[in-house]
Amino acid sequence: MIMLAVYVTGLLGGLAYAFATSAPAYAPHIQNGLLLASGLLLLGGGSSHIFRTEAMARQLGWEPGGAFQKAQGVWNIAGGVICVASPWCGAGFRAAASTASAIFWIGVAILHMTEPKIAGADMRDGRIAAASETLLGASLIALALSAA
């Protein structure tokens, strides 16, 4: 379910950025929407990494109950809180949150392309997720740069 939300958010992020470049006055509003969506995805993913460790480990091909997975969950929740709070903060904070979130999503895209291959899993889901995460990350960076 969370991955479906990432696909839709990535697609909407790309469309929103295309709209924002033709109507720059809307860029901050689009940035806020993507930050809220990114924050909610991070909060959902973080809680899954912490509270559904067995299922997440099977899905990603990780060792169940590993400390890294819980650390990943804590990082996701911290990033989610920052992203969700950022629309009510200044433009500089939003730009920083957008950049940090974008770097995270692009890193996750790389992970989703390599982890399933290492675990011997089917790569289709990894490629689709990576495309959406890269689009979301690129849109957040572009919006951060346009707002600066």
Side-chain angles (χ1 to χ4, degrees):
M1 185 64 174
I2 288 176
M3 294 311 295
L4 179 61
V6 171
Y7 306 152
V8 171
T9 305
L11 175 62
L12 292 177
L15 294 173
Y17 176 69
F19 177 74
T21 55
S22 62
Y26 293 105
H29 303 294
I30 294 168
Q31 184 181 28
N32 286 341
L34 286 179
L35 281 167
L36 284 171
S38 180
L40 293 174
L41 289 170
L42 287 168
L43 290 170
S47 11
S48 291
H49 277 295
I50 291 172
F51 300 115
R52 296 182 55 238
T53 56
E54 294 291 324
M56 289 297 286
R58 269 194 313 278
Q59 182 181 354
L60 296 169
W62 292 355
E63 195 64 36
F68 174 74
Q69 184 168 333
K70 291 184 178 150
Q72 179 67 43
V74 170
W75 164 249
N76 284 21
I77 289 174
V81 168
I82 289 169
C83 286
V84 168
S86 65
W88 293 275
C89 299
F93 189 90
R94 280 194 311 270
S98 290
T99 304
S101 183
I103 291 167
F104 172 81
W105 285 115
I106 291 170
V108 169
I110 293 166
L111 179 77
H112 282 148
M113 287 301 292
T114 58
E115 285 285 329
K117 190 174 189 177
I118 292 167
D122 185 1
M123 290 294 288
R124 283 178 298 202
D125 286 342
R127 285 191 299 264
I128 294 168
S132 298
E133 291 152 355
T134 301
L135 188 54
L136 176 58
S139 299
L140 283 163
I141 287 176
L143 287 165
L145 291 173
S146 71

